[in-house]
Amino acid sequence: IPTSRRVVALTFDAGANGDGVNSILATLAKEKVAATFYLTGDFVDSFPKLAVRMSAAGRLGNHTTSHPHLPTLTDAEVRTEVTSAQTTILRPLLPEF
């Protein structure tokens, strides 16, 4: 985000489970701090309601569908990981997507 101010970007990766999400969201709300959440498609499939709440608390980013080691994949496989995750991440946010 272009700015001349000194800022910190607070990011969280969400791929394994939703165990810490409620605590993180409560702390962010209490402190009035936004964050960016990088979600895997697998996480959103497992925790769609948490994904919606995370979106309301900040920005969402795409962390692929299953978080593979990308250098081991072909270009086509990487594209599939990213585009499939995009569709999955947007699904609970934009039901008509």
Side-chain angles (χ1 to χ4, degrees):
I1 301 172
T3 182
S4 59
R5 298 181 341 207
R6 295 176 69 133
V7 297
V8 172
L10 184 59
T11 66
F12 296 90
D13 290 352
N17 61 59
D19 292 350
V21 174
N22 290 326
S23 176
I24 290 167
L25 293 178
T27 301
L28 292 172
K30 177 183 169 199
E31 300 298 329
K32 296 180 175 63
V33 174
T36 301
F37 301 91
Y38 287 91
L39 310 180
T40 65
D42 290 347
F43 178 89
V44 175
D45 277 338
S46 297
F47 307 100
K49 290 179 183 176
L50 288 180
V52 170
R53 291 182 56 218
M54 293 160 101
S55 175
R59 297 171 182 242
L60 296 185
N62 183 329
H63 211 32
T64 71
T65 294
S66 62
H67 201 278
H69 185 60
L70 295 177
T72 66
L73 303 182
T74 66
D75 288 351
E77 290 169 327
V78 170
R79 271 190 295 282
T80 298
E81 277 284 327
V82 173
T83 58
S84 177
Q86 177 179 338
T87 300
T88 303
I89 291 165
L90 291 175
R91 188 177 305 123
L93 306 175
L94 306 169
E96 69 282 357
F97 182 75

